[in-house]
Amino acid sequence: MKQIRTICLASCLLLALSCQEPKVAGTIGADAEVERRVDSLLSRMTLSEKIGQMNQVSAGGEVSNYADALRKGQVGSILNEVDPVKVNEFQRISVEESRLGIPLLVARDVIHGFHTVFPIPLGLASTFDPALVEEGARVAAVEATGQGVRWTFSPMLDIARDPRWGRIAEGSGEDPWLDARMAEAMVYGYQGRQLDATSMAACIKHFAGYGAAEGGRDYNSTFLTERQLRNVYLPPFEAAVKAGAMTLMTSFNDNDGVPSTGNVFLVKDVLRGEWGFDGLVVTDWNSMGEMINHGFGENRKDVAQKSLEACVDMDMMTYGYLSHLEELVRSGAVKESDIDQAVRNILRVKFLLGLFEDPYVDVEAGKTVQYAPEHLAAAQKTAEESAILLKNDGILPLDPASVRNILVTGPLADAPHDQLGTWVFDGEPAHTVTPLRALQERFPGKVTYVPGLVFSRERKARFDDVVAAARRADVVLAFLGEEAILSGEAHSLADLNLKGSQSELLAALHATGKPVVATVMAGRPLTIERDLPHCRALLYAFHPGTMGGPALANLLLGDVNPSGKAPVTFLRTVGQVPLYYSHTMTGRPYNGETLLDDIPLSAGQTSLGNTSYYLDYGAYPLFPFGYGLSYTTFAYSDITLDQETYPTDGTVKVTFTLANTGKRSGTEVVQVYVRDLVGSITRPVKELKHFERITLDPGESRTVSVGIPVQDLAFVGLDGVKKVEPGEFQLWVAGDSASGTPVTFEVR
Ligand code: BGC
């Protein structure tokens, strides 16, 4: 660790004294003209006006409540105002009635859609389709900027390997490579490939390590080593910075004793220094003030100073900068040049977004883009690609021609609010199309609806009505899962089974002998092992959003073939946490040793294997990362490499044949995994290094070549330097993280 620190410090030497940053990869795209305008404006600002720019407030209630502060130039950004008329009034006061006329940055948590709600981010990740995710983020930007929002607090890039953590819903799951690709897609989508009036600045968050909260309890401490941070938790952030993300948010957690908002190493040294980030860094909501609770500062003045020293530009809702920076400058405790640097970073974003040219939103035009048909179509396509088929004995797809009497049941069958998922401030349940509605439209007069349970948490001892209805049906479609309130911020759970009496409902339906198909809509991978025997097929949809109903109907009926893959490991039981595919290898790997259930109940048994596993649950998950079935089958063959040995600057070209061996056209998410067999530190047993979606007709096969740059195999090893270590590697091409036979190559 010491070595890494030394190297980092050396590389950051020039940056050590202030928040100045070099212009290298990672700049958000400002040009000389923008820099000139920033500097010219800055030179005319008083200290108090500069500090005002560094203050972000939540705007609830009347505009007049804030008018005075805006006139005095005490607010740089507001969040949570999406009434375009009020937004225009906020801007008008700032531009026309403040001394320097600096427009506001208007921010909102637009996390997976604005009005048109897309699947939750974990569902976006399960599409393994960055182009589609970019399209969705563009839709969100067009709708949100249509109401004056020019800054979203998304994407969340926290790697999450603990499904107890409610915010696992908000990210891309457990894998840095997948997360990084989703990060880039969302940055491009929100901001647009070219900046214009529909560009919404992305905010990559939460920097950093927040998803590793101990025990999965939100806001909890993390204890990630610098190497883990650099090899697992930071790469998605670096990718997003390279993609041009304009802003970044610090996280609530303290890592190894240092809260992120005051973390000089993370923000100043790595983000600013090593990556050259000249975008805007904002705190999380009162995370500056919460450093007092952490015991990292005595009072608000102290934590304001620590935040500035870490190169954090804007204070969300602590009022620490506004109240104390002036005094801190006057006393000599902080340098005005550091404040200048922060203000530059803020103004740069405002100039780039064109707010100085036109801070206003066209209220009437904005109305026309909300819930536009093409937006709803994109949301539906995303929901279709995101659902993961986890079990199918052949009952799916249902044959529409043979459907006479469908029983639709379960608490998520007609839950317009809950299927939208967490972080939905603006999507309205009135626009949600539920599975019940979609199926009723599709099969008029043939659908019976008996919910069985109204809420996912409801408990019931008997299911007489729904069981009687099941007996009269040809097929039972049960929509189970989690209410939206069960995942998201501060919504962690210690038990990951289906809540309430949902498992009992499924078992009762199954006991009728009628074919039961389960669809789960949830904010996390639940532990559904006990439910699998009670359904003939199971489709897993992370809360699918506005168009979830038609999407799921299309999947169940075979109009669309499932192609979603698990972006996170599905556990058998919560006691397996953490269990993820890219773990390192123990000295005593599990080798299929005896499980407790196989041991007779007799005294005298002393040894059960001496390897790494649970006596009661073994070593494996329920479904591995990357897993997902289709209505067709795929076969991989002839996996070959173009060379046996590659230089460190080379590209591994792997060629393989993928065949659709089933009877339907379908899309396979091809995944390439690599293992570095021997390193200066132990390396993960597999790491995803490439994925792509390939669509094939029945009987069709295609020979595909993929290039993996050897540099993508680099990691931070024992010497603290990120590089490729020569040696032997294994490479898999497969449909999930647990399949395939490796080929080997060497790097010299
Ligand atoms: C969350 C952030 C969010 C912010 C603003 C905080 O509680 O952690 O993710 O962007 O609130 O709403």
Side-chain angles (χ1 to χ4, degrees):
M1 289 326 306
K2 225 171 170 182
Q3 277 164 312
I4 296 178
R5 172 70 82 180
T6 315
I7 281 155
C8 165
L9 284 180
S11 73
C12 303
L13 211 59
L14 290 172
L15 300 146
L17 297 175
S18 74
C19 293
Q20 308 292 328
E21 66 272 9
K23 288 283 188 303
V24 295
T27 58
I28 59 176
D31 55 24
E33 174 58 10
V34 168
E35 294 307 302
R36 193 197 55 72
R37 293 176 76 185
V38 166
D39 284 335
S40 150
L41 179 54
L42 188 69
S43 68
R44 287 181 285 135
M45 293 172 81
T46 63
L47 178 59
S48 140
E49 284 165 336
K50 291 175 189 171
I51 293 168
Q53 285 301 306
M54 299 165 75
N55 186 35
Q56 183 183 54
V57 300
S58 182
E62 294 308 309
V63 177
S64 55
N65 298 341
Y66 305 89
D68 197 39
L70 296 182
R71 279 187 203 106
K72 288 185 185 146
Q74 290 179 337
V75 181
S77 169
I78 58 164
L79 71 154
N80 294 336
E81 182 51 76
V82 293
D83 173 348
V85 176
K86 284 191 182 177
V87 167
N88 280 345
E89 185 54 8
F90 275 121
Q91 294 289 24
R92 194 196 59 74
I93 297 170
S94 306
V95 170
E96 291 181 11
E97 298 183 16
S98 74
R99 194 179 75 89
L100 291 170
I102 303 176
L104 290 167
L105 260 177
V106 177
R108 180 66 152 181
D109 289 279
V110 181
I111 307 295
H112 49 110
F114 185 63
H115 277 128
T116 303
V117 178
F118 284 69
I120 57 170
L122 197 55
L124 298 177
S126 59
T127 66
F128 282 68
D129 191 343
L132 188 63
V133 169
E134 178 177 344
E135 191 185 331
R138 196 82 285 275
V139 166
V142 167
E143 291 192 0
T145 58
Q147 293 198 189
V149 176
R150 300 301 303 275
W151 184 15
T152 179
F153 300 128
S154 175
M156 185 186 102
L157 306 182
D158 300 311
I159 297 290
R161 295 174 166 182
D162 185 341
R164 295 173 300 182
W165 190 51
R167 300 197 85 166
I168 194 171
E170 290 179 53
S172 296
E174 71 182 47
D175 184 66
W177 184 267
L178 177 61
D179 194 5
R181 304 293 81 78
M182 291 295 145
E184 293 157 350
M186 284 192 245
V187 169
Y188 294 142
Y190 289 138
Q191 299 186 172
R193 297 276 178 158
Q194 296 292 327
L195 295 179
D196 64 20
T198 65
S199 293
M200 178 163 69
C203 183
I204 52 177
K205 68 185 189 186
H206 305 86
F207 199 64
Y210 180 42
E214 267 203 334
R217 290 186 300 283
D218 207 0
Y219 313 122
N220 208 3
S221 299
T222 60
F223 294 93
L224 299 168
T225 65
E226 185 177 333
R227 226 182 337 255
Q228 273 170 301
L229 277 168
R230 288 184 181 277
N231 286 333
V232 178
Y233 289 82
L234 298 188
F237 285 92
E238 190 174 6
V241 165
K242 284 196 178 128
M246 288 179 155
T247 81
L248 172 143
M249 185 186 291
T250 60
S251 57
F252 284 125
N253 60 299
D254 62 318
N255 185 51
D256 198 16
V258 185
S260 300
T261 303
N263 197 319
V264 171
F265 163 67
L266 277 177
V267 184
K268 182 174 171 178
D269 297 349
V270 175
L271 177 74
R272 302 287 197 199
E274 294 178 30
W275 303 349
F277 184 67
D278 62 359
L280 186 172
V281 175
V282 64
T283 72
D284 202 341
W285 184 289
N286 190 34
S287 67
M288 181 190 292
E290 288 174 16
M291 290 202 284
I292 303 169
N293 293 347
H294 280 290
F296 193 69
E298 280 176 23
N299 49 38
R300 237 172 20 153
K301 185 165 128 189
D302 195 10
V303 293
Q305 178 174 344
K306 288 197 158 78
S307 305
L308 189 71
E309 282 167 358
C311 296
V312 172
D313 305 318
M314 189 178 276
D315 164 10
M316 183 197 292
M317 293 305 289
T318 295
Y319 298 100
Y321 282 166
L322 193 72
S323 313
H324 299 289
L325 275 191
E326 200 153 346
E327 172 192 352
L328 284 164
V329 172
R330 306 241 181 271
S331 71
V334 309
K335 291 191 293 264
E336 187 164 350
S337 59
D338 283 349
I339 290 178
D340 287 350
Q341 191 54 45
V343 177
R344 270 194 200 99
N345 296 338
I346 295 164
L347 295 178
R348 185 176 294 122
V349 171
K350 294 186 177 187
F351 276 112
L352 284 170
L353 288 175
L355 288 169
F356 284 87
E357 279 66 39
D358 185 6
Y360 301 112
V361 55
D362 180 337
V363 179
E364 289 311 311
K367 285 181 190 158
T368 64
V369 299
Q370 310 302 326
Y371 300 112
E374 63 273 23
H375 296 181
L376 295 172
Q380 180 171 328
K381 185 168 195 299
T382 311
E384 287 168 352
E385 285 194 11
S386 123
I388 310 162
L389 184 64
L390 291 178
K391 173 181 177 177
N392 187 17
D393 72 355
I395 189 171
L396 290 182
L398 300 174
D399 175 8
S402 68
V403 171
R404 288 182 308 277
N405 183 1
I406 312 176
L407 172 65
V408 171
T409 182
L412 271 293
D414 194 30
H417 168 76
D418 291 316
Q419 82 176 45
L420 297 181
T422 186
W423 274 124
V424 174
F425 283 153
D426 303 292
E428 297 141 305
H431 288 260
T432 303
V433 188
T434 65
L436 175 65
R437 205 178 111 198
L439 289 161
Q440 281 170 333
E441 276 170 14
R442 181 100 179 225
F443 299 108
K446 293 181 177 174
V447 173
T448 306
Y449 172 53
V450 183
L453 297 164
V454 177
F455 294 102
S456 67
R457 284 168 297 149
E458 193 181 347
R459 295 197 171 278
K460 252 189 180 177
R462 301 180 63 87
F463 298 99
D464 299 343
D465 54 348
V466 67
V467 163
R471 292 214 169 91
R472 291 191 297 272
D474 307 319
V475 62
V476 178
L477 301 182
F479 294 88
L480 310 169
E482 292 184 302
E483 291 151 72
I485 194 184
L486 294 179
S487 61
E489 183 176 350
H491 295 172
S492 295
L493 293 175
D495 176 357
L496 301 180
N497 289 334
L498 282 168
K499 288 266 172 276
S501 303
Q502 294 186 84
S503 292
E504 290 79 358
L505 169 64
L506 195 67
L509 293 166
H510 174 70
T512 63
K514 291 298 169 92
V516 178
V517 173
T519 300
V520 177
M521 289 186 243
R524 54 164 66 75
L526 293 166
T527 46
I528 49 166
E529 183 170 38
R530 65 180 182 166
D531 306 302
L532 288 173
H534 299 149
C535 56
R536 292 187 45 193
L538 191 142
L539 189 60
Y540 206 97
F542 297 112
H543 289 128
T546 307
M547 298 304 284
L552 292 169
N554 281 347
L555 289 160
L556 294 168
L557 292 159
D559 292 344
V560 177
N561 194 346
S563 59
K565 298 275 188 170
V568 63
T569 303
F570 276 73
L571 305 179
R572 297 180 59 202
T573 180
V574 70
Q576 290 179 303
V577 174
L579 185 63
Y580 48 92
Y581 86 92
S582 65
H583 59 86
T584 45
M585 191 52 103
T586 70
R588 294 187 173 190
Y590 179 61
N591 200 19
E593 282 81 359
T594 322
L595 297 177
L596 221 45
D597 282 348
D598 304 325
I599 312 277
L601 290 174
S602 61
Q605 181 82 31
T606 52
S607 168
L608 286 170
N610 293 336
T611 64
S612 180
Y613 73 113
Y614 296 106
L615 294 179
D616 49 358
Y617 276 87
Y620 304 123
L622 185 59
F623 299 109
F625 174 88
Y627 183 81
L629 300 168
S630 161
Y631 295 150
T632 189
T633 45
F634 295 98
Y636 292 81
S637 61
D638 304 325
I639 301 171
T640 51
L641 301 177
D642 63 332
Q643 292 171 44
E644 286 172 6
T645 305
Y646 299 89
T648 51
D649 60 354
T651 296
V652 179
K653 186 170 157 200
V654 53
T655 302
F656 58 94
T657 301
L658 180 71
N660 180 341
T661 48
K663 295 194 170 56
R664 284 175 176 265
S665 147
T667 301
E668 168 74 325
V669 177
V670 171
Q671 300 157 50
V672 179
Y673 295 91
V674 173
R675 178 174 183 184
D676 185 346
L677 286 173
V678 178
S680 63
I681 57 166
T682 59
R683 301 292 299 131
V685 295
K686 274 185 186 177
E687 287 182 293
L688 184 66
K689 290 295 171 191
H690 177 85
F691 60 83
E692 66 185 70
R693 296 170 59 90
I694 296 179
T695 303
L696 296 176
D697 287 331
E700 187 185 351
S701 66
R702 191 176 304 162
T703 299
V704 181
S705 289
V706 168
I708 310 282
V710 174
Q711 277 307 312
D712 285 354
L713 312 179
F715 64 97
V716 176
L718 203 58
D719 59 5
V721 178
K722 185 169 183 183
K723 62 174 185 297
V724 182
E725 292 186 2
E728 240 187 283
F729 291 76
Q730 289 178 318
L731 181 148
W732 292 255
V733 183
D736 63 62
S737 64
S739 303
T741 310
V743 290
T744 55
F745 65 91
E746 204 181 314
V747 172
R748 265 205 212 124

